[in-house]
């Protein structure tokens, strides 16, 4: 623990005060006590005060919920602040004194328990000794003076239930006018207390830091009947990690939900939230999704590391001829350009790279995304908020009225968004958007199936870029193998061309024994020429469009994958894994 002198604490405390208005004296004294503990900095104190005012929550609760202090560190501070003794649950007698007119239901609701009654003074164990209302009520009802002592809330609740047992459903209350806690509320408080314990905080913090260190893109927390499973998605593939005991499931999930500002009382419906953390000087955004399952809530955290996102098109692994053609398309004054692929294939990053390439002071660029994953300098970015009616379609309709030159749509999900995007492309705007299809020609069929008119699509579409991400071979341990039929099989785009030696994955310390480290893109660029426009007007199938595009020189995803194999950057198995639907 860092020691801090009284004068230093006062000076730091004065520096932390708001410049306008004064906080209540009691809050100021509490902040002084927190600073004196050496656990919280002045800057952190400012943040906590601001969060406390915004959320309407008490500062002591916010300190623990936001992870600035563990409950073990906070309790001595609270005891000193309130001028009370801090007791362990073992100090509570098995048979507490019976106090007239102090009912069990009232004590359970108020989270109090008498320890001693002598000479007109009752020593009262309290979860919150600062609650003057409870102390006044007890003194008024019993006629005794109260000496409060502090006991850890969870230990007090467990001790109480051990002495008096749980409350029966529908149990009638006493006549004190107290509203009794039901089972769900007591359970929620129990979960909150468990999630605030130091071991749980450390466990979740380690889970996050290890995921970032291992370059994970997602963390999966999955409860099963006899185990809690933790998995990291690294380079697009899930890997099992050491998991805590099954008994810690509720505490771990509750801790994550508290950090993401989710409702821990709601365990029947899916929820979404966000966590912002700073790790080793890097700002990390976590998109959190909870989903009720048979044995508890499954939680997935998508890691968005702003410092690791590259928006340079030249570093994404795009072949030079494809890169030149793509830059030519994004430099057009108007039209629709689509990037397609499954979730997590790097579509948004490619669009960011395109915007970065054409971003200049003479262009007004507006994006609408769900969520905004990376902030681009000089670009107006909108975050979709469906709960208040700000959808892709409604946002896009408003964007067009903002006189933009370039519009980026995070995803075309419905016919309305598609129609507005195409109308914008036809009226002098360059529109970049993503779409979920397996290949480039499939995007045309998807839009036609959505109800887009063929003549509008043929007139507005500039091109479609389909992409996947393949894992890079680890340069420290990759091993060369002859490129014979047993390795390449029938998967060679040009059987007559000589195939150089290829490499296979081995595994070492540098790549965590996976044989791979990092990922790069494979691409399929479909440029819409006159013959293809005629095919669109006849509503040709995706297979017909693909056959014509290949005949005109389009390189397919798998062909680009073989190029990565020949260059020694990836493996045959990896290319087949990400292009297996073709």
């Amino acid at each position: 623990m860092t020691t801090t002198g009284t004068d230093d604490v006062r000076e730091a405390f004065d520096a932390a005060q708001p410049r306008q208005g004064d906080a209540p004296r009691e809050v100021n004294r509490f902040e002084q006590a927190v600073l004196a503990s050496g656990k919280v900095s002045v800057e952190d104190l400012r943040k906590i005060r601001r969060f406390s005012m915004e959320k309407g929550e008490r500062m002591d609760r916010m300190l623990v919920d936001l992870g600035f202090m563990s409950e073990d560190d906070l309790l001595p501070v609270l005891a000193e602040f309130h001028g009370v003794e801090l007791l362990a649950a073992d100090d509570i007698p098995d048979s507490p004194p019976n106090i007239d007119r102090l009912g069990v239901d009232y004590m359970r609701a108020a989270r109090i328990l008498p320890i001693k009654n002598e000479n007109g003074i009752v020593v009262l164990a309290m979860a919150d000794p600062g609650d003057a209302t409870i102390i006044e009520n007890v003194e008024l009802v019993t006629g005794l003076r109260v000496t409060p002592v502090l006991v850890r809330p969870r230990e007090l609740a467990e001790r109480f239930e051990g002495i008096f047992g749980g409350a029966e459903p529908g149990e009638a209350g006493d006549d004190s006018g107290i509203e009794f806690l039901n089972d769900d509320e007591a359970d929620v408080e129990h979960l909150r207390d468990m999630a605030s314990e130091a071991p749980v905080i450390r466990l979740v913090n380690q889970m996050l830091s290890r995921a970032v260190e291992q370059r994970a893109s997602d963390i999966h927390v999955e409860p099963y009947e006899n185990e809690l499973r933790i998995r990291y998605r690294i380079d697009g593939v899930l890997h099992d990690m050491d998991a805590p005991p099954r008994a810690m499931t509720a505490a771990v999930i509750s801790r994550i939900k508290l950090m993401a500002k989710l409702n821990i009382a709601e365990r029947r419906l899916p929820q979404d939230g966000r966590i912002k953390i700073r790790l080793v000087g890097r700002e990390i955004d976590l998109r959190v999704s909870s989903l009720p399952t048979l044995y508890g809530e499954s939680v997935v955290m998508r890691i968005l590391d702003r410092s690791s996102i590259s928006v340079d098109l030249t570093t994404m692994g795009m072949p030079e001829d494809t890169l030149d053609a793509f830059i030519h398309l994004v430099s057009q004054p108007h039209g629709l350009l689509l990037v397609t692929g499954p979730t997590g294939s790097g579509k948004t990053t490619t669009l960011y790279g395109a915007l970065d390439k054409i971003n200049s002071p003479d262009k007004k660029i507006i994006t609408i995304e769900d969520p905004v994953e990376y902030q681009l300098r000089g670009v107006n970015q909108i975050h979709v908020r469906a709960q208040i009616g700000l959808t892709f379609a409604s946002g896009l309709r408003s964007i067009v009225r903002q006189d933009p030159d370039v519009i980026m749509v995070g995803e075309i999900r419905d016919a309305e968004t598609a129609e507005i995007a195409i109308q914008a492309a036809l009226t002098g705007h360059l529109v970049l958007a993503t779409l979920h299809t397996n290949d480039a020609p499939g995007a045309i069929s998807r839009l036609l199936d959505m109800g887009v008119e063929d003549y509008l699509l043929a007139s507005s579409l500039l091109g479609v870029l389909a992409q996947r991400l393949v894992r890079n071979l680890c340069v420290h341990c990759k091993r060369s193998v002859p490129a014979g039929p047993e390795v390449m099989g029938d998967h060679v785009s040009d059987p007559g061309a000589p195939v150089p030696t290829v490499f296979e994955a081995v595994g070492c310390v540098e790549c965590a024994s996976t044989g791979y480290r990092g990922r790069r893109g494979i691409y399929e660029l479909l440029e819409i020429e006159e013959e293809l426009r005629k095919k669109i007007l006849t509503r040709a199938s995706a297979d017909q469009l693909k056959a014509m595009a290949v005949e005109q020189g389009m390189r397919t995803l798998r062909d680009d994958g073989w190029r990565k194999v020949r260059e020694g950057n990836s493996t045959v198995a990896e290319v087949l894994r990400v292009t297996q639907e073709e």
Side-chain angles (χ1 to χ4, degrees), residues 44 152 433 578:
D44 289 339
R152 182 194 296 268
V578 299

Side-chain angles (χ1 to χ4, degrees), residues 8-317:
D8 294 336
V9 170
R10 185 174 291 110
E11 181 180 348
F13 172 72
D14 291 339
Q17 294 308 300
R19 292 288 177 253
Q20 297 180 350
D22 292 326
R25 181 185 178 94
E26 290 75 12
V27 176
N28 290 348
R29 284 182 47 242
F30 176 68
E31 292 177 355
Q32 282 183 324
V34 170
L35 279 173
S37 72
K39 297 292 184 180
V40 178
S41 68
V42 174
E43 184 60 32
D44 289 339
L45 192 64
R46 290 195 185 101
K47 295 178 183 177
I48 297 162
R49 186 192 301 113
R50 186 175 71 250
F51 290 150
S52 177
M53 294 174 66
E54 290 175 356
K55 301 295 182 182
E57 294 278 352
R58 288 172 33 162
M59 285 192 66
D60 56 345
R61 177 58 65 185
M62 296 293 287
L63 279 164
V64 175
D65 286 353
L66 296 177
F68 287 96
M69 293 182 76
S70 68
E71 192 176 38
D72 288 337
D73 292 330
L74 179 63
L75 286 174
V77 175
L78 286 173
E80 182 179 355
F81 169 66
H82 293 301
V84 300
E85 189 178 357
L86 176 61
L87 297 183
D90 294 339
D91 296 321
I92 300 175
D94 293 333
S95 299
N98 184 27
I99 309 295
D100 290 339
R101 301 188 65 189
L102 197 60
V104 173
D105 291 331
Y106 176 72
M107 290 190 293
R108 177 183 286 109
R111 297 191 297 168
I112 60 175
L113 194 60
I115 295 177
K116 186 188 298 183
N117 180 16
E118 290 181 354
N119 303 322
I121 299 175
V122 57
V123 179
L124 199 63
M126 302 183 67
D128 182 9
D131 194 330
T133 301
I134 291 177
I135 295 175
E136 290 173 4
N137 286 344
V138 172
E139 290 183 337
L140 181 63
V141 170
T142 64
L144 302 171
R145 285 179 54 202
V146 171
T147 298
V149 295
L150 175 61
V151 176
R152 182 194 296 268
R154 181 176 61 82
E155 292 182 352
L156 180 60
E158 291 175 353
R159 198 77 181 90
F160 191 98
E161 299 308 318
I163 296 171
F164 295 105
E168 293 297 324
E171 186 177 44
D174 60 16
D175 58 357
S176 62
I178 300 296
E179 182 181 353
F180 306 126
L181 294 173
N182 60 34
D183 289 344
D184 287 341
E185 290 168 339
D187 188 35
V188 168
E189 189 63 32
H190 181 60
L191 286 173
R192 190 185 295 273
D193 289 338
M194 285 196 303
S196 301
E197 291 181 344
V200 176
I201 294 174
R202 282 197 299 270
L203 176 64
V204 174
N205 288 348
Q206 286 176 356
M207 184 193 306
L208 298 178
S209 62
R210 287 174 182 170
V212 174
E213 288 170 4
Q214 297 187 33
R215 304 173 293 103
S217 60
D218 301 85
I219 304 172
H220 293 246
V221 183
E222 304 164 325
Y224 294 95
E225 183 176 11
N226 299 314
E227 65 173 336
L228 175 63
R229 194 178 188 189
I230 307 294
R231 295 195 286 175
Y232 293 169
R233 189 178 293 280
I234 303 172
D235 294 334
V237 178
L238 284 170
H239 299 271
D240 279 315
M241 298 294 154
D242 293 336
R246 178 67 175 84
M248 295 187 69
T249 298
V252 170
I253 292 175
S254 296
R255 175 64 188 165
I256 296 171
K257 291 177 70 176
L258 284 172
M259 293 172 67
K261 310 294 189 301
L262 301 181
N263 181 6
I264 63 173
E266 180 55 76
R267 284 161 282 178
R268 301 165 299 170
L269 296 173
Q271 296 185 71
D272 295 297
R274 295 183 74 176
I275 302 173
K276 283 191 175 184
I277 61 174
R278 183 181 292 274
L279 191 63
V280 198
R282 295 151 62 186
E283 285 192 5
I284 310 292
D285 280 355
L286 303 171
R287 285 160 49 191
V288 182
S289 171
S290 71
L291 183 71
T293 64
L294 187 61
Y295 296 106
E297 290 177 282
S298 173
V299 176
V300 176
M301 291 177 278
R302 167 66 59 88
I303 301 173
L304 302 176
D305 184 357
R306 299 176 188 275
S307 64
S308 68
I309 297 178
S310 172
V311 294
D312 186 354
L313 284 175
T314 61
T315 65
M316 296 180 183

Side-chain angles (χ1 to χ4, degrees), residues 359-361 363-366 375-381:
N359 190 8
S360 61
K363 285 189 174 69
K364 168 108 175 188
I365 302 176
I366 306 180
Q375 296 176 14
L376 296 168
R377 184 181 179 86
V379 176
N380 299 275
Q381 295 174 271

Side-chain angles (χ1 to χ4, degrees), residues 333-375:
H334 55 81
L336 175 65
L337 179 60
L338 298 174
V339 178
T340 76
T343 301
S345 60
K347 301 186 299 296
T348 304
T349 303
T350 298
L351 287 184
Y352 282 156
L355 292 180
D356 184 65
K357 196 73 178 175
I358 62 176
N359 190 8
S360 61
D362 62 335
K363 285 189 174 69
K364 168 108 175 188
I365 302 176
I366 306 180
T367 75
I368 181 163
E369 308 168 57
D370 184 20
V372 174
E373 296 185 8
Y374 182 82
Q375 296 176 14

Side-chain angles (χ1 to χ4, degrees), residues 322 325-326 329 336-340 437 439-445 457 461-467 523-533 535-536 541-557:
T322 303
F326 184 68
L329 291 177
L336 175 65
L337 179 60
L338 298 174
V339 178
T340 76
T437 60
D439 58 9
I444 297 172
S445 298
L457 183 59
L461 189 61
L462 296 172
V464 185
L465 179 73
Q467 68 179 72
Y523 301 92
E524 173 181 293
L525 180 60
L526 173 64
E527 297 181 79
I528 307 301
E529 305 292 349
E530 189 60 33
E531 291 300 316
L532 278 171
R533 294 188 194 281
K535 283 286 187 181
I536 294 173
S541 68
D543 289 339
Q544 292 174 319
L545 293 170
K546 183 172 184 176
M548 174 172 281
V550 170
E551 186 179 322
Q552 293 179 350
M554 183 186 78
R555 184 187 301 111
T556 66
L557 284 168

Side-chain angles (χ1 to χ4, degrees), residues 470-481:
V470 294
R471 291 182 291 174
N472 294 327
L473 276 165
C474 175
V475 297
H476 298 281
C477 65
K478 66 179 182 180
R479 180 171 59 201
S480 62
V481 293

